[in-house]
């Protein structure tokens, strides 16, 4: 379960993940430019073309301004409990990679602890969700499906591509974030 490292300063409410287990798995990362290439290849084909990846936006209250095209929204705050269903749906659909992102995801390499992936300013939702999913995949012995973290999150996507390949893009929202 949660550790003292997750404990809030005195008088503050605990973080949303405080009652959940700390994720153990490490996850691969994917650059937003690689995700763009995946989308371009997929969307260039027939409308209902089979694909082997799923994009998951784990933002909840800050899910405004748009999302990366074809993403589904599964807020991190309720994701842990849904892992078995997400797995079952992905397995049945032939998904091989579940790519997670949040508002802003950074990757740091902490050499003293091997390569660990942590998320930045949005509380680690994308990274935490990906690592929880990978924990579940590891627990059940699944090797044909991976949880992956998209670096940069939606803010990195917007910085690199503007509104390209974004659904429900709202330029006014992004102008106010500058």
């Amino acid at each position: 379960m949660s550790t003292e490292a997750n404990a809030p300063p005195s008088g503050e409410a605990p973080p949303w993940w405080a009652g959940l287990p700390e994720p153990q798995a490490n996850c691969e990362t994917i650059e937003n430019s690689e995700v763009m290439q995946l989308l371009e290849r997929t969307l260039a084909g027939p409308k209902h073309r089979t694909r082997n990846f799923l994009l998951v936006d784990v933002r909840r209250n800050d899910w405004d301004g748009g999302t990366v095209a074809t993403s589904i929204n599964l807020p991190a705050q309720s994701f842990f409990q849904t892992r078995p269903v997400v797995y079952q749906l992905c397995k049945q659909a032939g998904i091989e990679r579940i790519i997670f992102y949040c508002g802003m995801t950074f990757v740091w390499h902490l050499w003293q602890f091997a390569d660990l992936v942590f998320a930045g300013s949005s509380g680690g939702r994308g990274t935490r969700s990906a690592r929880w999913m990978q924990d579940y995949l590891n627990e059940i012995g699944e090797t044909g499906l991976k949880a992956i973290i998209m670096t940069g999150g939606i803010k990195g996507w917007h910085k690199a591509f503007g509104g390209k390949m974004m659904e429900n893009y709202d330029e006014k929202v992004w102008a106010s974030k500058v």
Side-chain angles (χ1 to χ4, degrees):
M1 298 306 272
S2 62
T3 64
E4 289 184 28
N6 287 335
S10 180
E12 290 185 26
W16 61 268
W17 66 84
L20 298 169
E22 277 298 309
Q24 302 301 309
N26 292 322
C27 293
E28 294 178 18
T29 60
I30 187 169
E31 296 294 324
N32 55 23
S33 58
E34 294 175 71
V35 174
M36 175 62 86
Q37 291 172 358
L38 288 171
L39 287 172
E40 288 173 341
R41 282 194 302 266
T42 300
L43 298 176
K47 184 172 182 162
H48 297 289
R49 179 181 182 172
T50 302
R51 63 183 187 168
N52 66 357
F53 68 95
L54 174 67
L55 291 171
V56 179
D57 183 341
V58 297
R59 295 175 295 154
R60 183 175 69 173
N61 296 337
D62 57 337
W63 199 66
D64 56 355
T67 189
V68 177
T70 75
S71 296
I72 62 171
N73 180 239
L74 298 173
Q77 291 79 354
S78 58
F79 181 75
F80 184 83
Q81 298 83 348
T82 65
R83 297 174 310 154
V85 173
V86 171
Y87 167 72
Q88 182 180 15
L89 293 172
C90 288
K91 190 70 172 174
Q92 291 172 349
I95 298 296
E96 297 172 6
R97 296 179 288 177
I98 309 170
I99 303 169
F100 291 84
Y101 68 93
C102 57
M104 183 171 17
T105 306
F106 294 104
V107 178
W108 292 284
H109 296 285
L110 302 177
W111 302 108
Q112 66 270 29
F113 298 111
D115 284 345
L116 298 177
V117 183
F118 295 92
S121 67
S122 62
R125 296 170 294 177
T127 298
R128 187 175 296 276
S129 297
R131 292 178 68 204
W132 275 331
M133 189 70 214
Q134 191 61 53
D135 282 345
Y136 182 78
L137 297 172
N138 293 347
E139 287 167 17
I140 62 170
E142 176 60 58
T143 59
L145 180 59
K146 291 182 189 176
I148 300 174
I149 303 159
M150 183 178 82
T151 60
I154 192 69
K155 291 178 182 174
W157 183 275
H158 185 262
K159 183 177 180 182
F161 307 114
K164 184 177 180 184
M165 290 285 191
M166 286 183 68
E167 294 171 350
N168 302 309
Y169 179 69
D170 185 347
E171 189 173 344
K172 292 177 207 157
V173 170
W174 289 100
S176 68
K177 291 183 181 191
V178 176

